Every structure is written in C-alpha cells, then in structure tokens.
Amino acid sequence: QVPGVRAAIETKWLEVTDAFRSCNSLESILDRLLDLLTRTFGAARISVWMRYDADGRFHQVRSVNALGVPQPLAASHPVVFRMVSSDEPVLLDLHRGGDGRDPFLEATQAVLCAPIRGGDELIAFVALSRELQGERYGADDCDLLRAITHHVGMLLSHARLAEERRVAAELEALHRFSAFCLHDLKNVAARLSLVVQNAQVQGEDPAFRASAMRTVAGTVKNMMALITRVSLNAVQPGVPEPVDVHELLRETVASLNGGSGVVVTATGERVPRVQIVREQLQQVLLNVILNAQQAIGDRGEILISTDRANGSVAITVSDTGPGIPAPRLQSLFQPFQTTKAGGLGIGLFQCKRIIEAHHGAIRVDSEVGCGTSVRIELPIEQGKRQTSDG
C-alpha cells in the first residue's frame, strides 16, 4: 500500500508541475492555479486572493461559484493575520458565535485557506469551502495544498522579478532617449531666456512686452521642469529639510490658480514638520491633486486633510470622482501603465519612489462610484518626534 500511495503522490506532483510548465505571466499562473484547484479538490467554492500594492489589501482575483465579488481584506483581518507568519494551511471554524457575520466567510464559505508566499511576504492565498461530498479535509489534503501554494509562490516571485527586470529595461531605454532630448531642450530654453532678457530692453509696446515676458518666462519654467522629469534614472537629488506641511499645501493649491476646486481642511491639531526635499514633496502633491482633478472633471470636490498617526504625518487627498476599477488598482504604481491620452504612466511610479526614499508610504483606497482617497504618510521631523515623545 505504501508504494501505491507514493506512486499516487508522485503522479499528482507531476500533474502540478506540468500544469504550470508553460506559464510565463501573472495572469496565466493564476488561471492555471484555479484550474488545478478545481480538478484536485471537490470544494463547492474556490477563490484566489492577491495583495495589491496600491492599498495593501487582499483582493479576490479568481473564483469558482463565488457569490459576487467580496470586499478586499485588510492585513488585520483574522484569516489573513493567521497566515502572515505561517506556511501551513489554516483550517477555519465556521461556528464563530456572536451576532456579527464576516462578509468574507459568508461569501466564500471558506473552511480551508492556504498562504502563498514570496520569500517572507504573504502575497496571496487560496480559500476552499467544504467538499461537495461533505468530507472533511485531512492531513493529505493540507500537505498537497501546501505543496501547490509553495510552488505557485515561487512562480509568482519569478514573474514579479521578470516584470521588474522588464520595467528596469524600459526605464533605462527611456533614460537613454532622454539624454538625446536634454541637449536640444536646454538649447531651446537658453534661447527663450535670451528672448526674455532682450524683451526687458526692447519692444515698443510696454503692455505687449510685459505679456510676452510672462508667457516666455512661464514656458522656460515649464521646460526646465520637463528636463528634470525626463531624467528618470533615479529620484532627483536634493537636500532634505524640515517642511511645514500646511504651508506647502497652501503654496501647492495656490499654484493651481484656484482652478482645481480644491478645499483644504486640516483635522485636529496642526501637524509637525516632516524631513523631506521640499520640491519633491510638492511634485508628489501636484501629481496626486491633478490626477484627482482629471478624475472628477468639472463637477465634484477634492478634499485635502492632515493628521498624525503612529509617529508620522499623514496627508490624505480625497476626491468624489468615479473611482478606480480593481484591475487598474492592481497595477497603479507600475510604470508605463496609464489610461490618459498621451500619458507616460510614470507619475504615480515616481511619487511612490519619492515617498519611499524618505521612509514614508503611499496608499490608495478606491471604490467604483465612491471616489478615491490617496494617503501619504511621512515620518515626523526627528527633533519634533523626540520632543513630542518626551
């Protein structure tokens, strides 16, 4: 009997490895995983959940016989929390007691969940309901499920590394292309600067001269900013300094000339300063606010609020726009992913790099039809933190 059991296990493992043999993308791996789980286990409902970098929550990305699309799960959810530091499948007790109902368990009827890890990080998990025949999952089922999810974890990690290499190659290509553009852009900017200088002493119509000066000077400023943004080899260097968040918000909103319909509100007490390169934080805020403005169009509202949380200053930009669909949310911070006509898809990618370079975090919460909220957290200036903690 033992040789027969061993042969069955080997046969099943060959089926597992063969199922993923030709997979070379995230989507194909998830498709094969769901198909394999369906053929291996007799669960009435099967679902696959993946963590999105944009909001840090787990979203259902594949399912069989699911009733609708459940809400995403935060890392603090009890089911997720049990898998964060474990490689073992988790058997769930459906007799939960109390009057409250868990929407996740109600939707999935899950009795067995298995983590999918990429290194030390929980990147996804699978959820199985009871077997159709009413049988309980045994040790052999858990061992097989653990082997499958371990294999999938390695495949997803490799797919992610391949995607990072592809992105790095595209960024390097863009950087090489930008090097050819920089020289011409600088020459144009220099010529415009000469026009500004000459206009100060020439021109018969003072009003016309003043108008031309403003136009050309603005063009020079915009083109010089473009030169800086085109160079994407790294986040542009700068000297971090204590920055008054409220003052910078006022300047940023004022720079939009009141055309964005932004209302600035500060919740609670005035927040401490943060240590960051001032221009880079303003670049992030402008990008987020302009994205919100484009989302809501001519109607809607953008609210900016500040608060303190866990030793950090948080800036939240919320809009009343249409919201972001879940598939778009999955790749929100990936470069060259954009829905804007003529866009490069690098704005939010750069924002994430800037904030994380200053030991902060940026998260996006969005629901279709309910708007979007972007939350930026930055460490409080060191001296201020010590003073407040003391």
Side-chain angles (χ1 to χ4, degrees):
Q1 183 179 5
V2 173
V5 172
R6 183 181 300 113
I9 293 175
E10 291 177 352
T11 300
K12 191 61 184 180
W13 181 244
L14 288 175
E15 180 185 344
V16 170
T17 55
D18 185 64
F20 295 100
R21 193 176 304 279
S22 60
C23 293
N24 53 13
S25 68
L26 170 67
E27 298 301 319
S28 62
I29 294 170
L30 294 175
D31 287 341
R32 296 293 175 84
L33 172 60
L34 186 64
D35 177 67
L36 180 63
L37 292 174
T38 303
R39 290 187 285 108
T40 304
F41 301 96
R45 300 181 188 178
I46 301 174
S47 56
V48 182
W49 298 68
M50 176 162 285
R51 182 183 182 276
Y52 284 4
D53 192 37
D55 61 4
R57 298 188 295 176
F58 289 82
H59 295 247
Q60 180 179 282
V61 293
R62 295 291 188 281
S63 66
V64 172
N65 296 333
L67 299 179
V69 180
Q71 290 295 314
L73 298 183
S76 58
H77 187 278
V79 173
V80 176
F81 186 77
R82 292 178 63 181
M83 293 185 286
V84 166
S85 58
S86 174
D87 294 329
E88 299 296 323
V90 175
L91 287 167
L92 305 178
D93 182 10
L94 287 182
H95 303 288
R96 298 181 293 279
D99 296 331
R101 292 186 175 183
D102 188 315
F104 165 73
L105 296 178
E106 292 291 335
T108 63
Q109 294 293 304
V111 297
L112 180 63
C113 291
I116 300 175
R117 310 185 70 80
D120 296 330
E121 180 186 6
L122 179 67
I123 58 176
F125 69 89
V126 300
L128 307 181
S129 68
R130 290 192 184 279
E131 295 256 3
L132 287 171
Q133 303 302 323
E135 298 181 4
R136 292 182 176 273
Y137 294 107
D140 291 342
D141 295 312
C142 291
D143 288 343
L144 178 58
L145 185 57
R146 181 178 61 247
I148 292 173
T149 54
H150 177 72
H151 187 63
V152 170
M154 291 191 298
L155 292 173
L156 290 176
S157 296
H158 292 160
R160 182 165 58 180
L161 288 174
E163 176 65 16
E164 290 175 355
R165 287 194 296 268
R166 182 192 67 79
V167 167
E170 290 185 353
L171 285 172
E172 178 59 27
L174 182 59
H175 179 62
R176 289 197 301 268
F177 171 76
S178 70
F180 291 98
C181 300
L182 288 175
H183 179 72
D184 290 340
L185 286 171
K186 287 179 179 178
N187 285 342
V188 172
R191 289 198 299 270
L192 289 174
S193 296
L194 288 175
V195 171
V196 174
Q197 295 173 16
N198 293 334
Q200 293 175 346
V201 295
Q202 297 179 9
E204 298 179 357
D205 186 346
F208 174 81
R209 184 181 62 187
S211 176
M213 281 277 294
R214 287 193 299 269
T215 301
V216 176
T219 302
V220 171
K221 182 179 180 180
N222 292 337
M223 293 188 69
M224 295 303 292
L226 177 62
I227 292 172
T228 300
R229 295 186 63 183
V230 166
S231 181
L232 294 174
N233 190 44
V235 173
Q236 296 299 315
V239 179
E241 60 179 301
V243 174
D244 185 315
V245 172
H246 290 275
E247 179 184 340
L248 187 62
L249 281 172
R250 284 195 298 270
E251 292 179 5
T252 304
V253 174
S255 70
L256 299 174
N257 296 321
S260 65
V262 175
V263 178
V264 180
T265 60
T267 60
E269 61 181 351
R270 186 179 181 85
V271 297
R273 294 178 297 181
V274 297
Q275 192 80 10
I276 193 171
V277 179
R278 184 184 183 87
E279 293 77 12
Q280 291 182 9
L281 179 55
Q282 188 167 51
Q283 176 185 341
V284 171
L285 293 173
L286 275 172
N287 194 292
V288 172
I289 294 171
L290 289 174
N291 282 347
Q293 182 181 358
Q294 292 175 354
I296 65 176
D298 297 331
R299 295 183 179 180
E301 189 175 15
I302 301 172
L303 299 177
I304 305 175
S305 61
T306 57
D307 63 270
R308 295 179 60 172
N310 302 319
S312 297
V313 168
I315 307 169
T316 304
V317 181
S318 303
D319 67 60
T320 56
I324 304 172
R328 174 74 183 105
L329 198 64
Q330 183 177 7
S331 60
L332 198 62
F333 288 126
Q334 295 178 10
F336 312 113
Q337 306 286 329
T338 183
T339 58
K340 300 177 184 177
L344 288 175
I346 58 176
L348 285 176
F349 170 73
Q350 279 291 79
C351 289
K352 187 172 187 292
R353 295 179 73 194
I354 289 172
I355 296 302
E356 291 183 348
H358 291 88
H359 310 291
I362 180 169
R363 291 287 182 268
V364 178
D365 289 320
S366 187
E367 184 177 347
V368 173
C370 298
T372 299
S373 178
V374 180
R375 184 175 177 87
I376 301 165
E377 294 187 2
L378 289 165
I380 296 173
E381 180 192 357
Q382 188 64 33
K384 293 292 183 181
R385 185 187 297 113
Q386 292 175 350
T387 299
S388 58
D389 291 345

